[in-house]
Amino acid sequence: MFGANVGNLLFTNSVFRAVNVRGASTVSDSLLTELPGNGEADAHIERINGEFDRYVIPLANAFRPEFEGSLRRLTRAVERMTIPTVVAGVGVQNIERVDGRFTAGESVDQAARAFVRAVLEKSASIGVRGRRTANYLEALGFPTDVVDIIGCPSLNMELAPEQIASPADVTPESPLAINITPSASRMGEIVETNVARYRDLVYIPQEAHELALMMWGEPIAYRDARLPLYPSHPLYREGQVRFFVDPEPWTAFLRERQFAFGTRIHGTIAALAAGTPAMLLSHDARTLELAEYHCIPFQLVGEAASVDAADLAATVDFTGFNAFRAEASSRFASFLAGMMCPTSSNRVRRMTSTTSFSRARPTRLPCFRSARRTSTRPPFSSIAFAGCDKALRLTRRGGAGGTSRPSSPRLRPLPNLASRTNSDPR
């Protein structure tokens, strides 16, 4: 449906909305371009080359061992593309400095280098999550002028007010939302402390196995009984768990909460996109990279003096986030405009070797925002979008019995091709 984590829907939906402008037809590839082991992917790629003008790939922390198989298959697909290919929001999971250079491990480094090389054969630059990923790609041999830092596309859903205010004082009756990463440190303490103190605390899980627990009672292995990973947990018993498979009802629910907090970066971003004050309890460099780029309020979970919601809310400061928000949105729009609307004389920059690049950049044209608000037509008519059509259809049905308005136009699978997902989903 959405891979292992429903947070994937936020950035894919945001990129889809951004490129699906008036005058363009945007179609999901249903992940068929990276099917392993048969000729269906090849046939699908040929159709994309013949019928579409752009291929857009929204990504998150793709440079990691668990995603290496998908990344290599996606690289082969990009290498076969004859149309411009745009990658937005890719990031590295874990890196370390070895002999003075950043590395994610030899195998991941090789896969990441091959993928970025393939993308830069079809595009002027690649959009990455933050400075940490940009440094990593520089260590792999890619110059800084082919890497654009654009943050997470999820914060460009155009839902929230321009300014987010600090929350009112949190009381035991305050409507709160919490998200957790069960494997991170202090999760049991965080849940236990806040469940005991706040009557209207709602847990918003994001992982696929938690949805299976809620729908079918499939058990989850756990070591800490304080975590909401079994149906007799107090949060489940009191009906204080919500799982969303559509960005719109997710943000609508969070809009009614006074404060949200937790370790999930996209859970935090969903709240901010709704205009709700939120704090990230960062537990790894991946989430910290995005928090630092977007100036999202955060505390390191291992160093937080208190994990009580009232204490967290009392320290949250949105000065930096509010000040940088417009610039971050402008950078994202400028990146997409430059990649999707290059000048006719410089449509695609080719890489001449593994470490030598033509340095000329395409003119940045504001075709996205203007196309949303005027009759301006983009210089392309059709876009193939790397995503799961089946999952995005699910998002438009809302929750059980839901009737939410579609968050984006209904996607059509390519004719005569079934909507399928890969056994190694994104």
Side-chain angles (χ1 to χ4, degrees):
M1 294 179 350
F2 40 74
N5 190 318
V6 74
N8 294 342
L9 290 180
L10 294 185
F11 68 83
T12 55
N13 185 67
S14 182
V15 175
F16 180 87
R17 288 165 63 99
V19 301
N20 192 46
V21 297
R22 185 181 297 117
S25 174
T26 306
V27 180
S28 168
D29 73 349
S30 302
L31 302 183
L32 291 172
T33 53
E34 57 170 279
L35 283 177
N38 59 48
E40 187 173 359
D42 292 341
H44 190 68
I45 292 168
E46 290 179 6
R47 294 197 61 186
I48 290 176
N49 285 331
E51 300 176 20
F52 292 84
D53 300 312
R54 301 287 188 277
Y55 185 53
V56 179
I57 309 172
L59 287 173
N61 52 324
F63 302 146
R64 69 184 195 273
E66 298 84 354
F67 194 75
E68 186 178 335
S70 286
L71 187 64
R72 291 186 182 277
R73 291 193 295 273
L74 197 54
T75 299
R76 288 193 290 270
V78 172
E79 288 172 343
R80 294 200 56 192
M81 293 293 170
T82 58
I83 58 177
T85 300
V86 180
V87 172
V90 68
V92 64
Q93 178 84 2
N94 295 309
I95 57 174
E96 59 182 348
R97 188 182 290 272
V98 177
D99 296 330
R101 60 179 294 272
F102 290 111
T103 177
E106 182 177 355
S107 184
V108 172
D109 289 353
Q110 291 175 354
R113 186 181 290 109
F115 175 74
V116 175
R117 183 186 301 126
V119 170
L120 293 174
E121 287 283 353
K122 309 296 192 301
S123 180
S125 74
I126 186 168
V128 302
R129 282 180 147 196
R131 174 58 56 191
R132 183 167 161 271
T133 301
N135 290 340
Y136 171 63
L137 294 188
E138 185 176 7
L140 294 184
F142 299 99
T144 57
D145 73 338
V146 298
V147 178
D148 281 320
I149 301 175
I150 61 171
C152 181
S154 305
L155 276 168
N156 295 277
M157 293 192 290
E158 300 185 39
L159 296 176
E162 292 184 1
Q163 300 289 307
I164 295 180
S166 297
D169 291 343
V170 171
T171 70
E173 290 75 33
S174 294
L176 307 175
I178 184 173
N179 59 77
I180 65 169
T181 305
S183 60
S185 65
R186 301 185 72 181
M187 292 299 97
E189 174 193 353
I190 291 171
V191 172
E192 183 179 49
T193 296
N194 290 284
V195 167
R197 297 179 185 177
Y198 303 104
R199 301 184 184 93
D200 193 7
L201 176 72
V202 174
Y203 171 50
I204 303 180
Q206 293 182 206
E207 295 186 15
H209 61 222
E210 294 177 277
L211 179 60
L213 169 68
M214 297 177 71
M215 295 183 68
W216 303 299
E218 292 187 4
I220 300 174
Y222 62 90
R223 296 181 179 179
D224 191 337
R226 296 174 296 178
L227 299 179
L229 299 177
Y230 54 95
S232 60
H233 187 278
L235 288 172
Y236 276 98
R237 287 203 317 266
E238 299 300 323
Q240 293 172 232
V241 181
R242 302 288 187 276
F243 195 108
F244 296 97
V245 292
D246 184 328
E248 188 166 293
W250 189 354
T251 52
F253 177 82
L254 286 169
R255 199 171 294 123
E256 303 304 318
R257 300 280 99 182
Q258 180 179 328
F259 180 62
F261 63 102
T263 55
R264 295 286 186 183
I265 185 62
H266 286 110
T268 303
I269 286 175
L272 297 175
T276 296
M279 173 174 281
L280 174 71
L281 296 173
S282 179
H283 70 286
D284 62 8
R286 170 184 57 91
T287 57
L288 185 60
E289 177 179 36
L290 284 177
E292 291 179 336
Y293 174 77
H294 287 288
C295 303
I296 295 171
F298 73 90
Q299 291 190 32
L300 299 179
V301 66
E303 300 178 6
S306 171
V307 292
D308 180 278
D311 295 333
L312 295 174
T315 62
V316 74
D317 182 0
F318 289 98
T319 303
F321 178 82
N322 289 330
F324 182 64
R325 188 172 181 184
E327 182 180 344
S329 180
S330 177
R331 289 183 184 181
F332 175 67
S334 177
F335 167 77
L336 285 182
M339 297 305 99
M340 299 290 287
C341 314
T343 62
S344 58
S345 62
N346 189 14
R347 292 173 64 87
V348 180
R349 178 175 49 186
R350 298 284 180 174
M351 190 175 79
T352 58
S353 71
T354 57
T355 58
S356 176
F357 296 78
S358 169
R359 303 257 175 169
R361 297 181 69 84
T363 301
R364 306 280 186 170
L365 302 179
C367 64
F368 290 94
R369 294 189 178 279
S370 62
R372 284 188 179 280
R373 295 173 172 82
T374 72
S375 59
T376 302
R377 293 178 63 87
F380 50 82
S381 60
S382 56
I383 303 165
F385 186 84
C388 180
D389 182 63
K390 187 174 183 180
L392 290 173
R393 283 181 179 171
L394 176 61
T395 70
R396 281 179 287 283
R397 290 201 290 267
T403 57
S404 63
R405 179 175 61 83
S407 58
S408 59
R410 183 175 180 82
L411 300 183
R412 320 180 265 109
L414 292 179
N416 303 319
L417 289 177
S419 179
R420 298 171 52 184
T421 59
N422 184 337
S423 60
D424 183 12
R426 290 201 291 279

